[in-house]
Amino acid sequence: MIEELEFNGGMSLKAQPQATLRYSMLFQNKRNHAQRDSSKTVYEKANFYVDSNYQITNVLGKGSYGTVCSAINTTAQGRPQLAIKKVCNIFSKEVLLKRAIRELKLMAFFKGHKNIINLVDLDLVYKKPYDGLYCFQELVEYDLAKVIHSSVQFSEYHIQCFLYQILCGLKYIHSADVIHRDLKPGNILVTSQGILKVCDFGLARGINEKFIQYSKGSHNITHYVATRWYRAPELILSRRNYGKPVDMWAVGCILGELYGRRPMFIGNSQIHQITEICKILGTPSRKVILSYESAAAWDFFSTTGPTFQKKDWSTLFPNANTAAVELLSGLLCWDLKSRTTVEAAIESPFLKSVRNIDEEPTTDTVFDFSFEWKVNSIEEMKLMLQHEVNQFRIKMREKDTKI
């Protein structure tokens, strides 16, 4: 249901950027009333409340973010399968609500790229216990973590194709001045045809300086991002702002995992993670340590702990060719200024045999994240989220009508 609801005085949702709690409650009550109809169906196992044309078939996974179910669109041609991701507990906590808005905006922004998960539809439900943001996405059978840790044998061609597709998706993301911040095999989906798609933009963030001016005060971004095993050392050792190199470190970790069939740096704490990195990359130089401009980095490496020598990549991964070793060395390095960029990685000789320039689009538009500072309350965020959902659904239905 995508109609633009009217408040007292005939003012539309769009006309009230500073909505009061009274207006917001009226809006919620109207939504609840609208939901009590035969056009909706309930799936009790996951507390899902969706349009009746969706037949939910299975619960695919649960996490702190919410729940994902598979479903069939029974009224669409070919009865396509979908994944429905319900983002829960977003209406009571500002940080969760802002994260939901950010993820929705990013998925809508990147919609259509072959190597990024495709958002098909959206819905917003306020009725408890079904409340949450429902994201309808193309259903993809596997994630890269399951493929890596399966018994399927990888040839060098497989590794090249997998890595190239990850980089194509990331090139598009980085061209919008967005960093994903949580790249890992579990956040890269793999279709049965071998197409890879980057997903889960819950921790992604825009970094273009053009929009920093909208910030009311500090615009520092949190360092507690990325799953620890794929977390760049500067995220642990430095308090400085960071950027695209954190994603490239994660790409290097994934490349090593494709060869070794296990995560490269399995730390059980922040300190242990740095130690695990040292065991392979060796202890960083004094120059690099000072470049972090961090007491934590200085304290960690100035202790009487052991000094590690860098291991030879060819010894770690004897099946990797020279070009793969060179790329791995450029991605996994202490000095973030020297770390290989996504553009340079794509042009690596390692990927020459699988490269297709037509598969490497970029966007000329940077992602506008100024909305982060345009809303100051949960009520305003709710209205912004509802507006984004409505706008997306209107565009999708206009597209369907034209077809």
Side-chain angles (χ1 to χ4, degrees):
M1 190 167 294
I2 60 171
E3 73 279 3
E4 189 174 80
L5 298 176
E6 299 290 321
F7 295 106
N8 292 352
M11 297 175 68
S12 69
L13 170 63
K14 192 181 296 185
Q16 298 189 69
Q18 301 296 327
T20 63
L21 178 61
R22 179 169 61 88
Y23 286 141
S24 183
M25 291 303 295
L26 175 61
F27 170 71
Q28 178 172 326
N29 290 338
K30 286 194 175 187
R31 286 290 298 180
N32 283 341
H33 177 73
Q35 289 165 349
R36 299 188 190 103
D37 57 51
S38 59
S39 67
K40 296 284 186 177
T41 186
V42 172
Y43 186 69
E44 295 290 358
K45 287 184 180 179
N47 284 332
F48 269 41
Y49 194 80
V50 297
D51 291 343
S52 57
N53 58 298
Y54 293 111
Q55 178 186 333
I56 297 177
T57 55
N58 196 17
V59 176
L60 298 179
K62 293 184 178 181
S64 58
Y65 61 87
T67 305
V68 179
C69 288
S70 58
I72 298 172
N73 188 340
T74 59
T75 59
Q77 184 176 2
R79 292 169 58 90
Q81 289 188 305
L82 298 170
I84 305 176
K85 176 181 177 180
K86 174 188 171 186
V87 186
C88 303
N89 304 317
I90 61 174
F91 299 123
S92 59
K93 293 185 178 180
E94 182 177 321
V95 64
L96 297 179
L97 193 51
K98 184 175 285 189
R99 173 175 171 171
I101 295 171
R102 186 188 303 140
E103 183 169 15
L104 188 161
K105 279 179 169 285
L106 283 163
M107 290 182 69
F109 186 90
F110 293 128
K111 179 176 171 55
H113 191 285
K114 177 182 176 182
N115 299 120
I116 300 175
I117 192 66
N118 193 34
L119 187 62
V120 177
D121 203 355
L122 291 166
D123 200 5
L124 200 56
V125 174
Y126 291 91
K127 184 178 181 180
K128 292 182 178 296
Y130 316 109
D131 54 312
L133 173 65
Y134 289 73
C135 300
F136 298 74
Q137 306 169 358
E138 54 187 326
L139 179 65
V140 181
E141 295 83 352
Y142 312 101
D143 63 48
L144 189 57
K146 292 180 181 177
V147 174
I148 289 175
H149 304 298
S150 70
S151 58
V152 175
Q153 296 298 308
F154 290 168
S155 66
E156 186 170 81
Y157 177 76
H158 284 117
I159 296 175
Q160 290 169 326
C161 286
F162 288 164
L163 183 67
Y164 179 65
Q165 292 183 74
I166 294 169
L167 291 171
C168 284
L170 190 58
K171 182 179 180 180
Y172 195 73
I173 293 167
H174 279 189
S175 72
D177 271 352
V178 171
I179 48 178
H180 187 280
R181 303 202 299 178
D182 197 20
L183 279 177
K184 59 182 178 180
N187 283 341
I188 299 169
L189 304 180
V190 186
T191 72
S192 55
Q193 291 77 39
I195 298 174
L196 271 62
K197 296 176 181 287
V198 178
C199 70
D200 199 341
F201 287 86
L203 290 178
R205 191 70 180 266
I207 56 171
N208 189 277
E209 290 290 334
K210 173 183 175 181
F211 301 108
I212 295 297
Q213 60 182 306
Y214 293 99
S215 172
K216 298 179 179 67
S218 173
H219 58 269
N220 292 333
I221 49 181
T222 178
H223 284 63
Y224 195 73
V225 292
T227 303
R228 185 187 303 120
W229 296 349
Y230 306 90
R231 194 175 296 163
E234 62 265 26
L235 292 175
I236 301 173
L237 294 172
S238 175
R239 296 273 69 85
R240 297 169 59 192
N241 278 350
Y242 52 86
K244 298 170 185 177
V246 300
D247 285 342
M248 300 313 297
W249 173 274
V251 171
C253 292
I254 294 169
L255 176 56
E257 194 166 337
L258 284 168
Y259 274 109
R261 305 301 285 261
R262 67 186 297 273
M264 289 194 62
F265 310 112
I266 308 177
N268 54 32
S269 68
Q270 294 270 62
I271 298 301
H272 187 225
Q273 186 67 23
I274 294 298
T275 302
E276 290 300 296
I277 294 172
C278 286
K279 288 178 181 179
I280 292 179
L281 299 190
T283 303
S285 67
R286 178 185 174 88
K287 181 180 178 181
V288 170
I289 296 169
L290 291 174
S291 72
Y292 284 137
E293 298 179 2
S294 163
W298 181 257
D299 290 344
F300 181 86
F301 291 111
S302 63
T303 60
T304 56
T307 298
F308 295 95
Q309 298 299 314
K310 184 177 181 179
K311 289 188 176 180
D312 183 71
W313 290 115
S314 298
T315 302
L316 288 172
F317 306 117
N319 295 325
N321 64 29
T322 302
V325 167
E326 289 178 355
L327 180 56
L328 197 57
S329 180
L331 292 168
L332 295 176
C333 62
W334 288 104
D335 185 4
L336 62 141
K337 292 180 181 178
S338 302
R339 200 169 296 153
T340 303
T341 64
V342 67
E343 294 83 5
I346 282 180
E347 293 176 358
S348 164
F350 178 62
L351 300 175
K352 184 177 180 180
S353 62
V354 297
R355 190 178 181 194
N356 178 359
I357 296 178
D358 293 335
E359 300 286 339
E360 303 170 14
T362 58
T363 175
D364 295 328
T365 307
V366 298
F367 178 67
D368 180 354
F369 60 97
S370 60
F371 70 91
E372 302 264 0
W373 303 286
K374 288 181 178 178
V375 287
N376 300 308
S377 69
I378 286 181
E379 301 310 319
E380 289 178 345
M381 289 181 193
K382 286 181 181 178
L383 289 172
M384 177 178 281
L385 181 60
Q386 182 66 58
H387 176 69
E388 291 293 328
V389 170
N390 286 353
Q391 290 300 107
F392 182 89
R393 300 193 74 177
I394 289 170
K395 288 179 182 178
M396 290 303 298
R397 279 145 185 76
E398 287 176 349
K399 180 180 177 181
D400 292 342
T401 302
K402 290 177 183 179
I403 293 174

